[in-house]
Amino acid sequence: MTVVDLFRTAAGLPEAWSSRVLGEVGTACVKVLRMDEMPVEEEAHGAAEALLVLDGRMELTVDGAEVSVGAGEMAVVPAGARHAVRAGSAGTLVIVEVREG
């Protein structure tokens, strides 16, 4: 069993929005990253993904609807949903996703 300090791992990444895979659970991949207030272009995935904000706040647009996710909260983006991160999102984010391909 491995224990990972999520905050230290995110802080040690070379740049914001550069995620690091922490491990796998079944077919899901668990990643951590640091948000830096810059927006991220719209994308969609073939599988749902869970976005867990550890600290800070993430501002999303999901299929045209604005969603704000605060520290200690989680949002699940459905498979195929168009989503983008809006400017002002900052903090530490954990993503749980099924790898495509």
Side-chain angles (χ1 to χ4, degrees), residues 21-58:
V21 175
L22 302 173
E24 295 181 5
V25 179
T27 60
C29 175
V30 180
K31 304 188 298 187
V32 67
L33 61 82
R34 189 176 69 253
M35 302 179 285
D36 70 348
E37 299 193 15
M38 298 301 293
V40 177
E41 291 184 23
E42 185 178 74
E43 60 185 4
H45 308 284
E49 64 181 352
L51 307 172
L52 296 88
V53 177
L54 297 181
D55 66 346
R57 179 163 295 283
M58 182 172 54

Side-chain angles (χ1 to χ4, degrees), residues 59-79:
E59 303 296 337
L60 291 170
T61 301
V62 181
D63 282 340
E66 292 188 357
V67 179
S68 183
V69 187
E73 295 181 330
M74 178 183 81
V76 176
V77 178

